[in-house]
Amino acid sequence: MKLPLSWLKEFVQITADPDEISHRLSVAGLEVENIERHRPAFAGVTVGRVLSVERHPNADRLSLCEVDAGQFGRFRVVCGAPNVRPGMVAPFARVGARLGGARKSGEAPVSLDEVAPLQAAEIRGVRSEGMLCSGRELGLSEDHSGILALESDAPLGTDLAQYLELDETVFDIAITPNRGDCLSTVGLAREVAALFGLKLKLPKIKPPAVSDGECPDIEIHAADLCRRYAGLPMGGIRIANSPAWLRRRLELCGMRALNNVVDVTNYVMLELGQPLHAFDLDKIQGGKVVVRRAGDERRFVTLDNQERELRPDDLLIADAVRPLAIAGVMGGLDSEVSDTTTRILLESAYFEPMTIARTARRLGLRSEASYRFERGIDRQGQVTAISRAAALIRQLAGGHELAPVRDVEPEAALRREIDLDLRRVGALLGVDVPRAEIRRRLISIGAAVHTTGKERLGVIAPSFRPDLNEAADLAEEVGRLRGFEEVPERLPQRPAQIITRDPARAFVARTRDTMLGCGLTEIRTIAFVAPEDNRRFPGLDGGSPVVVTNPLSTELSQLRTSLIPGLLGVLRFNLNRQATAMHAFEIAKVFHSTSDTPSEGQRLAAISYGDFIVTSVGAPPIAAGFFTVKGILEAYFVSLGIFDQITFAGIDTARAPYLHPGMAAEVRLAGKMIGVLGELHPQEALRFELSRNCGLFELDFGALADYRHPPRAIEAPPRFPAVRRDLALVLDRDVPAATVIGTVKNVQEPLLESVEIFDVYTGEGIAPDKKSVALSLRYRHKERTLTDEEVNRAHEALVGRVLPLLNATMRQ
Amino acid sequence: MREQLEAIRNRAMAQLGDDASAEQIENVRVAVLGRGGELTAIMRGMREVPAEERPAIGQLVNEIKRELESRIEALQERQQRARMERALAEQRLDVTLPGTRIGRGRSHPLTQVAEEMIGLFEAMGFEAVATQDIDDDFHNFSALNFPPDHPAREMQDTFFLPGGLLLRTHTSNGQIHVMQRRQPPLAVICPGNCYRRDELSVRASPMFSQIEGFMVDRTGIVTMAHLKGVLSEFLRGLFGAATRVRFRASFFPFTEPSAEVDISCVLCGGGGCRVCKHSGWVEILGSGMIHPNVLRAVGYDPAEYQGFAFGVGIERTALLKLGVDDMRLFFENDLRFLEQF
C-alpha cells in the first residue's frame, strides 16, 4: 500500500520526519518497505493565466501571449501551442527556470543539474520573456500536443511544484493479511494518530442533495455472500479527465487515471478502503439490480473484453436480464462507464472475503478491489463511502443525485463485545500494563470500551477490525502500540532436568561422523526430480513415485524415490567445473507411494568417483570402485558394532538397474535387505559422460536406525597366544568367498578363533574353471597355550570336513 | 699356559684393530670366544691345570674374555654408528612434498549451522523432535488457524500431493503433532525440511529448512517476556554477545501477539550497508504467543495454557552467519564451496 505523506497529513497533523514515521509504523506491524521521495523535473515554474492571445507578426503558427503570473507580474511570451486561449490557466516558466522534461517523446526526463536556465529570447523578431509549458516539458506526462491546462481556480503566481504537490514522500507499506483496514489512507492515518498520540480527523462528507427520483430496486439473493449493498443513482454527469491533483494522487498510489467518475471511485477506495463500482445507469435493464450466484450462467465478458468462465457459486451483480459484473472482482464490458455516459449507478457493498478470494484467484483477476474485499473491508463503511464519492462526483463531473442512497442489509452486523480480563494482557505480554493505558490504547484504534468489573473491560471492536475477536487480539494491540521493546527479556524458570535426546538424531550424527572420517563430503540436494530419474533409479522400497499435483516444472514434477540421481547430478555438476574426483554422501528423505498414499523414508547414500586415496608423489593412487565403497560400508558397520550381522549377497538386477550387474551387491542386516552397493552401470556412466568407475551405495537409513542393536559384550584381551595355520584350497571359480568362510565357520571347531581370506589366485597352475583361495586360520585356547600337536589335530580335522563340503582340493 | 693365553690375547687384539671388518670381528669372536674357540677349549681343559694355578688361570681367562668382548662390542657399536651415519647422510626426503592424503569429508554448511542452532536450544532445555515432511491440511494449515481460502495461505505457496496431502510449507506442523501427543509443560524444537513453490534462486529454494520451536505451560508462566528472553539469548549465542535484538509487531495466523525479530546487521553492526539495505537491521525469524485457536485445535484450554512459538529459517541464518549471499550455493554442492567448511 502506497501512502503519500501529503494525503496522510489531511487526516492527522503529523510533524515527525518520514524516517521516524517509517520506524514507528514498522515496529508496530506496518512494515515500511521503502520510502519514495519524489521531486519535480522542473524549477522556477509558477501558475500563470493567459490574458490575451495575438498572432505573431512574423509567423503564422506562433502566438504572442500576455501572461499574468501573480506577484511576479505580467510577461509577454511567444507560444507555439495550438490550444492556447485567453483565460487559460497554465504552467508558466519564468526566465531562469529549469525544465528537465523529456526533449522527445519516449525519452526520460533529464536531471535538473544538467539543464541550462531558461533565457529571454528573440523569436522571429519578438522578445519572449518566459515560456508556457506542456506536460512533457515538465516531466508530468507524455503530452506535448499543447500547453498543460491547469484548473481555472489555481492561484496565480503559486509555485507549480507546490500547487501540484510534486515534492512528495510516499511510504510503501507491506500490509499483513489481517490488516485490511490499513489498505486505506484513513486506516493508516488512524495508526499514525494512535502511535504518535495525535487526533484523527476524518474526511468531511457533505450530505447528498435531497432528491426524490427513481433508484433501481436492489435485491440480494445471496445474503450469505453479500451482507450489504448500497446503490446511488446520479445524473447530469459529464465524463472528462480528472483534475491534476486527483490524477497525481492515484498515480502516486500506483493506479492509472481513466476518467473523473472511475477516478473518484478509486480515490475513495484508496482514501476509505471501500471499493466502489460505477455502472452506466442507462444500461441497467428492468429497473433493478440483483446480487445473486452465477448458477447456470456460464460465461461473462469483463470490461477488459475477455470472456470469463463462471462457476455456479461465483457472485454476480445482475440486472433483470443479464449479469453486469462479477461482484468485487471486475465489471462487465456492457455496463461500464463510457465517454457518453450521463447517468450512473454507484455501488458500495460488503462481499464475503472468501467468495471474492476464490473467484479472483480462479480467474487470475487480482484487482485493488478484490484485494480489499478478500482481506475484509469495514463492515459498516458502505454508506459513508458512497456519500463521499457522490460529493466528489458532484464537484468534478457536474453530477447530482437522482435519488437517496438505497441501502440494503438483510441482517444487521453483530455487535461483538469482547470480555477482556486485564490480567490476561499482563499474563501474555509478561509485563503489567495499567488499566488506564489499556483503555486509552484501545480507544485510539477505534474501539468502544466500558468497565464491566474490577479487572474487566467490555471492548467493542470497531467494524473495520474483523481481526479483533478475543483477549489475545487486544493484548497484541496494546503490546504493539506501546512497543514490544517495553516487554522485558526473561528466561524461563525451569527445574534442572535432563532433556530427552532423540536417539534417531544421535544416530544421524554418528553416521555422519563415520562418513566424514571415511573421506566423504556431505551434500544436500533438492527432493524434486524428473519422472525419468525415478524410472531409471528405482528406490529400495519399490513403491511407485509420488507425483506433485502442482509442480514447478516437468523436470521437478516428482519426489525422489532414491538419493542416487541427485548424487550423480552433483557429480556431473562438479566434473563440469574441472573437478576430477568426488566422494560424497547424503542423509535425506525419499518418498514413495503405496496404494496412492504417499509416505516418506530416510536414506543414506554415497557416491565415490576418481582417485580415492592419493598416495605420495610417484606412487599410484587408489581409485574409487566397488571395493572402496564396500570398505566404507564395512567401516561404518564395524563402527555401529553390527558388522557380524551384515552380509553382502548377489543382487536382483531389476532392483537396481543402474548398477553394473557383475559389480553390485545387496546389503543385508540380519538377513533382511537394507541396501545396495555397486559400480554404476556402463550405460548410465555413458549417459553421465563418466570416464572412470563410479562406486555407489544406498541404505535404508530408517531400518538401520530402528535396528535393535544387541548389547555389546566386552571381553578382556586373550592372555594366551594364538597359532596360525594357512590353507590353500582349489575350488570352483564361482564359489563366493563368503561361502568358503561360512563353510569353515560352520564346522564349529571350538579352537578356531577366526578365518580370513588373504589371497585369491587364478591362472597358471590352476585349471581354468578353478581358483585357489588362501585362508589364514587362527586357533586359540582361552585358558592355556596350545601345543603344536593339538593345533595340527584340530586343523587337519577341520580341513578334512571342509574339503568335501566345498568340493575342493588342497593346493599342491 | 699363561704364555699361551697372552699369545691368544695379543693375536686377537691385533686382529681387532680399528679398521677390522665386521667379518674379521666375527671370525675372531668365533675362533676365540665361540663354542669351539680357543678360550673355551682352555676352560674345558682346566682339569689338567694344577690345582694351585687354577684360580689365577681362571681369572686370566675371564679377564681376556671380558677384554675381548668389550673390544668387540665397542668395535661393533662404532661400526653400527658409522653405518647409521652413512644412511642418515643418504636418507633425505623432500619434506615439502605432499603427504599421503587420507580423505576427510566436510559436513555441509547447512548441517553445521543447523547443529549449532539446535545445540543452543538444547542447552536452554529444548528437546529436538523429528516430524514429517508429508502432511495433511489440518496439521499444516487448519490447526494453525489458517481458515480455508484465507489470504494468509497465499503467503506460502503450497505443493500438493495426491490423497489430499501436501508437502509442509513450514515446520510449524511439528507444533501440532507434538502438542497432540503430549501435555504441557513442553519445550520442543522441530528442525526439518519444508517446501514452497519458489524457483531456486539467489533468495529462494523450493526446498529449504527451518527450526520450529515452542514452549507451553500454564497461563502466565511462559509469557512474551520469556519469548524475548529465549530468542535474544539464542541470537546472541549464535551471532555474538554484542548482537542487538529487536522485536517488531507482525502477523502470523498461528500467533497472537506476533513479532518479527531483527538483529543488528551482522556485516555493518548496525551502521547501514548493502546486506541490511542501509537500515542497520536484518530480519531473522518470526515468533509470537501461540494463538488460542491453535491451542484449541490440539485440545488445550487457552484459559489454562499459554505459550510461545517461533520459526527460524536455517538457510537464511546460514547466509547471514557465513556471509554469503546466494541460496543456490547450498544446493549446487560445488566442491570448491563445500571444501571451505
Side-chain angles (χ1 to χ4, degrees):
Chain A
M1 170 81 192
K2 302 275 189 92
L3 174 67
L5 182 58
S6 65
W7 203 350
L8 174 69
K9 284 182 172 173
E10 280 185 19
F11 307 121
V12 57
Q13 275 184 326
I14 179 89
T15 50
D17 72 56
D19 287 330
E20 174 66 11
I21 297 173
S22 161
H23 171 73
R24 296 279 279 273
L25 283 172
S26 293
V27 296
L30 294 154
E31 191 184 353
V32 176
E33 293 188 314
N34 190 22
I35 303 179
E36 300 166 14
R37 291 172 209 266
H38 294 262
R39 297 291 171 261
F42 57 83
V45 181
T46 53
V47 176
R49 182 190 297 276
V50 179
L51 297 175
S52 64
V53 179
E54 288 165 30
R55 279 256 309 265
H56 188 289
N58 305 324
D60 287 349
R61 298 233 179 106
L62 297 179
S63 333
L64 281 184
C65 312
E66 174 99 13
V67 176
D68 178 359
Q71 78 269 28
F72 294 105
R74 294 186 175 191
F75 301 88
R76 259 166 74 87
V77 180
V78 176
C79 180
N83 68 335
V84 65
R85 299 279 179 275
M88 195 173 176
V89 175
F92 173 63
R94 305 190 313 275
V95 170
R98 280 177 300 160
L99 302 178
R103 295 288 180 268
K104 285 185 192 145
S105 171
E107 283 183 7
V110 196
S111 161
L112 274 191
D113 302 332
E114 294 166 22
V115 179
L118 188 70
Q119 295 181 349
E122 292 275 321
I123 299 174
R124 298 256 179 142
V126 181
R127 193 174 159 79
S128 180
E129 302 170 305
M131 180 177 160
L132 291 164
C133 306
S134 71
R136 195 173 85 197
E137 283 162 340
L138 297 171
L140 292 176
S141 70
E142 277 289 296
D143 187 14
H144 193 54
S145 61
I147 57 174
L148 180 70
L150 298 173
E151 280 187 76
S152 53
D153 60 355
L156 303 184
T158 312
D159 182 74
L160 184 71
Q162 208 180 339
Y163 172 66
L164 292 178
E165 294 176 345
L166 297 182
D167 259 319
E168 181 68 276
T169 300
V170 180
F171 300 98
D172 192 353
I173 306 173
I175 307 292
T176 53
N178 58 326
R179 293 305 302 274
D181 66 301
C182 284
L183 293 170
S184 68
T185 312
V186 163
L188 288 167
R190 183 178 292 109
E191 283 288 310
V192 171
L195 287 169
F196 285 87
L198 300 170
K199 222 172 114 64
L200 177 73
K201 289 184 300 180
L202 289 173
K204 284 198 192 73
I205 291 157
K206 288 183 203 155
V210 181
S211 53
D212 54 359
E214 284 284 296
C215 180
D217 280 336
I218 291 166
E219 295 173 9
I220 298 178
H221 293 173
D224 55 332
L225 303 183
C226 174
R227 304 290 181 190
R228 190 168 187 180
Y229 195 102
L232 174 66
M234 296 187 78
I237 305 281
R238 285 187 310 276
I239 298 294
N241 283 337
S242 299
W245 64 266
L246 197 159
R247 299 168 64 96
R248 169 89 181 147
R249 282 204 169 155
L250 293 182
E251 281 160 13
L252 285 175
C253 293
M255 295 192 79
R256 238 158 23 93
L258 278 172
N259 60 52
N260 46 10
V261 168
V262 173
D263 292 352
V264 163
T265 60
N266 285 332
Y267 186 85
V268 172
M269 173 178 72
L270 292 172
E271 185 175 72
L272 300 176
Q274 168 71 49
L276 300 172
H277 189 70
F279 296 101
D280 187 327
L281 183 59
D282 294 315
K283 301 207 175 128
I284 295 176
Q285 299 177 29
K288 67 174 176 181
V289 168
V290 184
V291 186
R292 61 169 171 87
R293 284 179 162 80
D296 293 337
E297 210 89 46
R298 280 286 166 268
R299 301 189 190 290
F300 179 69
V301 180
T302 44
L303 54 79
D304 53 359
N305 203 7
Q306 297 272 311
E307 189 177 79
R308 308 287 177 175
E309 202 171 315
L310 299 175
R311 295 256 174 97
D313 269 339
D314 288 334
L315 189 64
L316 295 183
I317 311 301
D319 59 17
V321 182
R322 62 195 174 140
L324 302 172
I326 303 175
V329 178
M330 201 181 253
L333 187 62
D334 293 342
S335 61
E336 73 166 323
V337 171
S338 70
D339 290 349
T340 56
T341 299
T342 56
R343 304 197 316 147
I344 60 168
L345 177 74
L346 279 177
E347 165 197 288
S348 178
Y350 182 93
F351 300 121
E352 269 302 302
M354 298 311 169
T355 185
I356 304 299
R358 262 193 297 270
T359 302
R361 192 177 317 153
R362 199 191 72 242
L363 296 176
L365 275 175
R366 318 304 295 271
S367 61
E368 293 280 345
S370 70
Y371 182 61
R372 285 172 174 76
F373 281 124
E374 272 178 28
R375 276 147 205 257
I377 56 166
D378 185 349
R379 179 65 181 76
Q380 314 235 359
Q382 288 68 44
V383 174
T384 309
I386 211 167
S387 307
R388 170 75 172 144
L392 284 169
I393 287 171
R394 282 201 302 270
Q395 182 192 332
L396 304 176
H400 58 270
E401 283 88 340
L402 296 172
V405 174
R406 180 152 299 186
D407 177 19
V408 181
E409 186 178 21
E411 204 176 314
L414 281 176
R415 237 171 69 111
R416 292 168 294 148
E417 177 166 326
I418 304 166
D419 174 26
L420 179 63
D421 181 340
L422 298 177
R423 286 163 303 196
R424 211 57 206 124
V425 176
L428 272 173
L429 297 179
V431 61
D432 282 325
V433 186
R435 178 194 191 92
E437 182 180 345
I438 293 176
R439 247 190 120 89
R440 175 166 59 82
R441 299 267 179 213
L442 294 175
I443 289 168
S444 76
I445 54 158
V449 183
H450 62 276
T451 304
T452 49
K454 192 158 171 285
E455 294 281 358
R456 300 191 109 78
L457 291 178
V459 180
I460 298 169
S463 57
F464 46 82
R465 291 296 302 271
D467 59 317
L468 304 182
N469 296 304
E470 55 183 311
D473 303 326
L474 300 178
E476 171 171 72
E477 291 304 302
V478 172
R480 77 178 179 88
L481 289 171
R482 74 203 306 265
F484 287 153
E485 65 262 40
E486 299 295 318
V487 174
E489 275 180 26
R490 257 188 234 124
L491 286 175
Q493 301 296 309
R494 307 182 70 222
Q497 185 182 331
I498 295 169
I499 59 161
T500 322
R501 278 181 195 262
D502 181 2
R505 256 181 57 69
F507 191 70
V508 170
R510 201 162 144 196
T511 300
R512 185 182 291 125
D513 278 350
T514 304
M515 294 300 137
L516 296 175
C518 288
L520 303 185
T521 288
E522 189 185 19
I523 64 170
R524 285 237 189 160
T525 59
I526 284 175
F528 300 96
V529 296
E532 176 68 7
D533 293 325
N534 278 337
R535 201 184 52 71
R536 273 158 51 202
F537 300 92
L540 298 172
D541 268 305
S544 51
V546 178
V547 181
V548 178
T549 311
N550 55 339
L552 281 171
S553 65
T554 323
E555 285 303 293
L556 302 172
S557 63
Q558 294 191 354
L559 298 179
R560 60 185 170 206
T561 52
S562 162
L563 301 181
I564 300 289
L567 293 171
L568 281 164
V570 172
L571 171 62
R572 192 59 257 166
F573 177 91
N574 279 291
L575 294 179
N576 289 346
R577 280 152 189 79
Q578 296 178 301
T580 56
M582 185 177 105
H583 312 285
F585 75 101
E586 183 171 15
I587 302 171
K589 284 183 179 176
V590 296
F591 305 86
H592 64 273
S593 196
T594 27
S595 54
D596 286 339
T597 307
S599 61
E600 53 194 62
Q602 215 177 5
R603 298 285 179 270
L604 161 66
I607 189 167
S608 187
Y609 178 86
D611 291 346
F612 181 58
I613 296 174
V614 181
T615 54
S616 50
V617 173
I622 297 170
F626 181 88
F627 287 109
T628 60
V629 287
K630 189 180 181 203
I632 292 169
L633 274 182
E634 287 169 343
Y636 175 50
F637 295 133
V638 166
S639 80
L640 296 179
I642 56 169
F643 185 57
D644 54 356
Q645 284 138 86
I646 293 285
T647 47
F648 295 90
I651 190 170
D652 171 6
T653 48
R655 189 135 227 180
Y658 56 89
L659 291 178
H660 188 305
M663 303 184 184
E666 205 176 277
V667 185
R668 294 185 187 151
L669 171 60
K672 192 174 158 277
M673 201 284 254
I674 54 150
V676 295
L677 90 147
E679 290 196 12
L680 187 64
H681 196 290
Q683 189 57 44
E684 287 293 342
L686 213 62
R687 237 195 275 247
F688 283 94
E689 297 177 49
L690 304 182
S691 54
R692 306 186 63 182
N693 295 351
C694 179
L696 297 163
F697 68 74
E698 182 165 46
L699 299 183
D700 182 342
F701 193 70
L704 257 183
D706 292 344
Y707 180 68
R708 289 178 64 92
H709 299 258
R712 225 175 268 199
I714 306 296
E715 286 177 13
R719 284 164 43 212
F720 299 94
V723 179
R724 173 175 163 164
R725 290 285 185 275
D726 289 350
L727 173 63
L729 297 174
V730 176
L731 38 73
D732 286 348
R733 202 165 178 160
D734 56 4
V735 177
T739 307
V740 177
I741 300 283
T743 308
V744 171
K745 284 187 173 166
N746 267 345
V747 168
Q748 297 188 334
E749 163 54 51
L751 294 180
L752 182 71
E753 184 180 70
S754 67
V755 52
E756 274 169 28
I757 291 179
F758 68 92
D759 192 27
V760 177
Y761 173 79
T762 54
E764 207 178 324
I766 304 292
D769 57 340
K770 300 278 179 185
K771 65 180 171 187
S772 161
V773 175
L775 301 171
S776 139
L777 299 90
R778 285 158 70 89
Y779 295 91
R780 192 195 303 268
H781 197 287
K782 267 188 181 171
E783 277 135 28
R784 59 190 163 81
T785 305
L786 288 173
T787 64
D788 272 0
E789 292 72 39
E790 276 179 298
V791 174
N792 290 344
R793 250 196 328 273
H795 185 65
E796 274 155 30
L798 183 140
V799 172
R801 292 186 54 193
V802 165
L803 289 180
L805 289 172
L806 288 171
N807 195 19
T809 56
M810 301 279 282
R811 189 174 173 196
Q812 298 307 310
Chain B
M1 184 55 100
R2 195 172 281 276
E3 295 74 27
Q4 194 186 343
L5 281 172
E6 287 298 339
I8 290 170
R9 180 207 321 242
N10 292 341
R11 189 162 23 85
M13 285 305 282
Q15 285 169 345
L16 294 173
D18 283 355
D19 54 354
S21 69
E23 195 185 2
Q24 284 169 329
I25 296 168
E26 181 62 12
N27 285 346
V28 172
R29 196 187 63 79
V30 172
V32 180
L33 303 170
R35 216 177 267 189
E38 291 169 274
L39 280 185
T40 319
I42 285 175
M43 286 302 278
R44 237 182 254 135
M46 211 51 139
R47 242 166 293 148
E48 292 157 32
V49 176
E52 65 278 14
E53 284 183 38
R54 268 184 216 163
I57 295 295
Q59 200 181 352
L60 183 60
V61 167
N62 280 333
E63 201 178 288
I64 294 171
K65 198 175 169 184
R66 268 199 303 277
E67 188 182 341
L68 290 180
E69 275 171 352
S70 82
R71 177 65 182 160
I72 287 171
E73 203 179 313
L75 280 176
Q76 281 176 337
E77 204 181 295
R78 188 188 316 178
Q79 286 184 349
Q80 199 186 353
R81 198 161 46 237
R83 270 200 307 278
M84 192 187 284
E85 263 154 27
R86 271 198 306 280
L88 284 175
E90 283 163 17
Q91 294 171 343
R92 289 233 171 262
L93 293 179
D94 177 352
V95 296
T96 63
L97 282 172
T100 297
R101 265 158 281 170
I102 299 161
R104 167 77 203 182
R106 325 294 175 107
S107 62
H108 196 278
L110 290 176
T111 301
Q112 295 184 19
V113 172
E115 286 304 313
E116 188 178 348
M117 294 163 76
I118 293 167
L120 288 167
F121 285 119
E122 285 183 336
M124 286 192 280
F126 285 80
E127 173 194 347
V129 177
T131 50
Q132 64 218 69
D133 292 14
I134 295 182
D135 214 332
D136 53 26
D137 184 276
F138 176 78
H139 290 89
N140 193 75
F141 287 124
S142 304
L144 289 160
N145 198 33
F146 286 82
D149 288 309
H150 193 273
R153 288 194 177 205
E154 290 176 35
M155 291 159 70
Q156 306 175 358
D157 209 347
T158 313
F159 283 113
F160 294 100
L161 302 179
L165 298 177
L166 46 79
L167 287 169
R168 63 171 166 192
T169 55
H170 43 209
T171 42
S172 308
N173 67 332
Q175 219 187 105
I176 303 303
H177 284 289
V178 173
M179 290 200 289
Q180 278 182 327
R181 284 200 301 262
R182 305 194 199 169
Q183 285 296 311
L186 291 172
V188 171
I189 53 169
C190 303
N193 284 333
C194 338
Y195 309 80
R196 289 185 199 172
R197 288 193 78 242
D198 291 317
E199 299 276 357
L200 184 61
S201 70
V202 171
R203 229 156 306 186
S205 165
M207 183 182 100
F208 58 99
S209 49
Q210 283 185 341
I211 297 175
E212 176 80 7
F214 55 98
M215 196 164 200
V216 186
D217 210 325
R218 295 201 171 269
T219 306
I221 305 236
V222 177
T223 70
M224 189 135 192
H226 298 103
L227 166 72
K228 282 188 71 172
V230 166
L231 291 180
S232 301
E233 191 76 359
F234 163 69
L235 291 169
R236 288 190 291 259
L238 196 61
F239 290 101
T243 307
R244 282 170 296 131
V245 183
R246 174 173 90 169
F247 289 74
R248 250 185 316 114
S250 189
F251 167 74
F252 307 106
F254 37 97
T255 49
E256 188 84 18
S258 303
E260 295 233 49
V261 183
D262 300 335
I263 51 168
S264 48
C265 181
V266 288
L267 193 68
C268 64
C273 69
R274 178 185 52 82
V275 167
C276 58
K277 293 186 199 129
H278 303 282
S279 70
W281 297 94
V282 286
E283 201 174 303
I284 186 80
L285 56 81
S287 68
M289 301 303 293
I290 298 173
H291 196 289
N293 287 346
V294 176
L295 297 173
R296 287 180 192 114
V298 297
Y300 292 179
D301 178 0
E304 201 177 334
Y305 294 107
Q306 70 178 43
F308 65 73
F310 58 86
V312 52
I314 295 170
E315 282 77 5
R316 177 163 173 74
T317 307
L319 287 176
L320 286 172
K321 210 169 153 49
L322 306 174
V324 291
D325 57 3
D326 189 344
M327 182 92 117
R328 290 171 301 185
L329 288 170
F330 295 134
F331 299 103
E332 276 172 358
N333 300 290
D334 191 321
L335 292 172
R336 295 165 299 180
F337 176 68
L338 297 181
E339 281 168 1
Q340 296 175 52
F341 294 93

